[in-house]
Amino acid sequence: MSKSRFSFYFPILYYIGEYLIIFLSTQLMLAYTHTKWTYVNYLFISFWFLISIGFKSHVVGRDIKKWNLIKSSLKKLFFFSGLMSILNLLFYKMEFYLLTIIIAAALFYFLMILYRLTVDSVLKNYRATGGNILKCLIIGNNNQVSQLYDEILKFPELGYRAGGLYTYNSKSKLDSVPHLGKFTDLDESVIKEFDRIFFSQKIKLKSQEKII
């Protein structure tokens, strides 16, 4: 499938948001310490974006738990803090008051984690209302795929959508789930319209290989 507008624009918007957060936290610390913007601040921001892009921070899992999101954010923040401390010791040897370091780190950590949690909530609301959707092709006629279909309906904020189930090449169907036809009857062009394909492990191995 071609790259969606969301996939193109979201990373750009996400990193613009990160820039605003880091710019705000820097300005607040400059005001607190009565200092001016210097080249060190530019280095600070540049290193942050190198790490942030390296960690692919804009990739927020659809089903990630809040606590796991906080832990992944802290991992990146600790890595960044450690790297900046090493660079300072090796090249700059600037001295700071311990209280200033604690306040700066706490402010930056808080704002960045709050930002990522906010982005996660906005994405879930956006997906629940029909944005950033992944069309799912579900193949099978047993409880395994039926439960998957029910989960998709139960959690629209994850952004998965399915109109029902396809059987592989059988007319047998489940009464509780809409039956959309046989997978073997679908044209390749139709199959390519789906973003994700799920199939029951109870389908014959040769049939699974054909699906893949």
Side-chain angles (χ1 to χ4, degrees):
M1 292 194 62
S2 60
K3 192 173 184 180
S4 67
R5 287 187 299 173
F6 178 88
S7 299
F8 177 79
Y9 287 111
F10 175 72
I12 298 173
L13 294 174
Y14 176 86
Y15 289 115
I16 289 174
E18 275 202 351
Y19 172 77
L20 294 175
I21 292 298
I22 197 170
F23 180 80
L24 173 62
S25 60
T26 302
Q27 290 292 350
L28 290 173
M29 285 309 302
L30 290 176
Y32 173 75
T33 57
H34 302 287
T35 53
K36 295 182 179 181
W37 190 284
T38 67
Y39 74 95
V40 175
N41 299 111
Y42 289 112
L43 290 174
F44 181 83
I45 293 175
S46 299
F47 276 115
W48 169 259
F49 278 108
L50 285 174
I51 293 172
S52 187
I53 294 172
F55 274 85
K56 295 183 178 179
S57 299
H58 68 279
V59 179
V60 181
R62 290 175 179 263
D63 57 348
I64 189 170
K65 304 298 183 183
K66 297 292 186 184
W67 174 239
N68 289 333
L69 181 60
I70 292 173
K71 286 195 295 184
S72 67
S73 300
L74 286 173
K75 179 181 177 181
K76 182 179 68 172
L77 288 163
F78 288 147
F79 181 83
F80 173 73
S81 299
L83 178 61
M84 293 304 296
S85 298
I86 293 172
L87 291 175
N88 181 51
L89 288 173
L90 292 177
F91 302 105
Y92 302 107
K93 298 181 180 179
M94 292 183 294
E95 297 182 357
F96 301 95
Y97 289 110
L98 179 60
L99 180 60
T100 301
I101 296 175
I102 292 173
I103 293 174
L107 176 65
F108 183 51
Y109 283 29
F110 172 76
L111 290 177
M112 194 56 69
I113 291 173
L114 180 62
Y115 172 67
R116 297 206 74 201
L117 290 173
T118 301
V119 169
D120 181 57
S121 297
V122 170
L123 285 177
K124 286 183 177 178
N125 289 331
Y126 180 61
R127 290 166 181 154
T129 55
N132 189 216
I133 295 304
L134 294 178
K135 291 181 61 179
C136 300
L137 171 60
I138 306 177
I139 308 166
N141 61 342
N142 53 40
N143 289 333
Q144 184 184 40
V145 291
S146 176
Q147 290 175 0
L148 173 60
Y149 176 75
D150 290 338
E151 288 292 303
I152 289 175
L153 294 182
K154 186 178 179 181
F155 300 103
E157 68 273 13
L158 299 182
Y160 297 102
R161 296 292 186 273
L165 305 181
Y166 288 87
T167 54
Y168 181 72
N169 60 0
S170 170
K171 293 183 178 180
S172 62
K173 55 185 180 180
L174 299 172
D175 294 332
S176 59
V177 181
H179 179 251
L180 303 179
K182 295 188 293 184
F183 173 76
T184 51
D185 290 339
L186 294 177
D187 291 331
E188 186 176 346
S189 59
V190 176
I191 297 174
K192 287 182 178 180
E193 293 178 359
F194 292 93
D195 303 292
R196 296 288 187 274
I197 297 179
F198 301 100
F199 55 85
S200 171
Q201 293 179 345
K202 294 184 179 180
I203 294 177
K204 293 180 180 180
L205 186 59
K206 288 185 178 180
S207 299
Q208 293 183 25
E209 293 174 351
K210 290 180 180 180
I211 293 172
I212 295 172

